[in-house]
C-alpha cells in the first residue's frame, strides 16, 4: 500500500474499522452461523476492506464452537492476487487450533464478482476437509463470495451445491 494513495489509505482505514466492528459484534452477540447467507453477511464488509475494494482474492476462516457460534472475528488466512490466493492447511487451521474451534466455515472471494466455483476451489476444499479431520476440526462449508445479481444472491455454498463431500 502506498502512503501517497489516499484511496488505498481510506480502504485500509475502512478495513481496520470493519475488523474492529466485527470483533465487537462477535464478542457481544456471539452470532450463530446456521446458513451460508449468515456467513456471507459477516464476511462481505471484511472482504471489501481487506482486498482494496475486492481487487484481489482473500481467504477467510470463520471459527465456530460446538454450537456453531462464532468464536472470534473471521481470520484472514491468505491474501492473494487478482485471480488466486495461496491456501495451505497450516495457515487455515492455525488460529482454529489456538482458539479451540470445533469447526470452521471457509470462505473466499472472487474479485470478478462471479461466485461460480472453479475446479481449484473444489480441490482445495477437499484437501482442507481431509486436513481438518486429521486435526479434529470439522469443515462445515466453503462459501465463495461474489456480488449479488439477478441470478445469484452474491455467494455460492459448496455444501448447498453438493460439490464436495463435507461429512
Amino acid at each position: 500500500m502506498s502512503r501517497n494513495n489516499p484511496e488505498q489509505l481510506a480502504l485500509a482505514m475502512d478495513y481496520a474499522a470493519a475488523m474492529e466492528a466485527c470483533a465487537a459484534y462477535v464478542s457481544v452477540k456471539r452470532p450463530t452461523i446456521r446458513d451460508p447467507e449468515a456467513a456471507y453477511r459477516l464476511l462481505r464488509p471484511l472482504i471489501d476492506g481487506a482486498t482494496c475494494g475486492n481487487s484481489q482474492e482473500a481467504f477467510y476462516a470463520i471459527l465456530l464452537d460446538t454450537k456453531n457460534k462464532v468464536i472470534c472475528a473471521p481470520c484472514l488466512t491468505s491474501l492473494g492476487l487478482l485471480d488466486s490466493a495461496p491456501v495451505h492447511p497450516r495457515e487455515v487451521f492455525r488460529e482454529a487450533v489456538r482458539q479451540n474451534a470445533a469447526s470452521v466455515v471457509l470462505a473466499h472471494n472472487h474479485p470478478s464478482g462471479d461466485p461460480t466455483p472453479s475446479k481449484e476451489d473444489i480441490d482445495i476444499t477437499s484437501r482442507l476437509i481431509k486436513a481438518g479431520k486429521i486435526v479434529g476440526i470439522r469443515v462445515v462449508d466453503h462459501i465463495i463470495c461474489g456480488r449479488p445479481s439477478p441470478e445469484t444472491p452474491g455467494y455460492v455454498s459448496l455444501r448447498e451445491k453438493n460439490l464436495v463431500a463435507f461429512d
Side-chain angles (χ1 to χ4, degrees):
M1 179 176 73
S2 170
R3 291 182 181 178
N4 297 330
N5 187 330
E7 288 177 12
Q8 283 185 337
L9 181 59
L11 283 169
M13 291 172 63
D14 287 348
Y15 178 66
M19 282 300 295
E20 188 176 313
C22 183
Y25 171 74
V26 166
S27 69
V28 171
K29 293 286 187 178
R30 296 280 325 273
T32 301
I33 302 296
R34 296 193 192 282
D35 55 48
E37 184 180 355
Y40 177 75
R41 282 193 322 260
L42 184 65
L43 286 166
R44 186 74 255 175
L46 301 179
I47 288 172
D48 285 342
T51 63
C52 296
N54 215 30
S55 64
Q56 63 193 117
E57 279 199 14
F59 198 94
Y60 280 87
I62 301 174
L63 312 183
L64 305 173
D65 67 12
T66 57
K67 299 198 185 281
N68 289 341
K69 288 188 174 284
V70 178
I71 294 172
C72 60
C75 303
L76 177 63
T77 64
S78 177
L79 193 56
L81 305 171
L82 176 65
D83 59 353
S84 67
V87 178
H88 193 279
R90 175 183 57 243
E91 306 306 321
V92 171
F93 290 104
R94 175 180 286 141
E95 194 62 22
V97 170
R98 283 187 190 147
Q99 296 284 341
N100 293 318
S103 58
V104 296
V105 173
L106 307 174
H108 79 281
N109 67 316
H110 282 176
S112 67
D114 178 4
T116 303
S118 68
K119 180 185 180 324
E120 292 80 14
D121 294 336
I122 293 166
D123 291 346
I124 192 61
T125 304
S126 295
R127 185 173 174 215
L128 292 170
I129 290 168
K130 289 176 188 171
K133 286 179 181 177
I134 291 169
V135 296
I137 298 172
R138 185 172 152 255
V139 175
V140 174
D141 201 347
H142 184 165
I143 311 297
I144 301 175
C145 302
R147 293 284 180 202
S149 72
E151 297 83 34
T152 176
Y155 63 87
V156 169
S157 159
L158 271 61
R159 178 181 282 278
E160 282 186 343
K161 297 287 184 183
N162 287 323
L163 295 173
V164 180
F166 282 89
D167 298 314

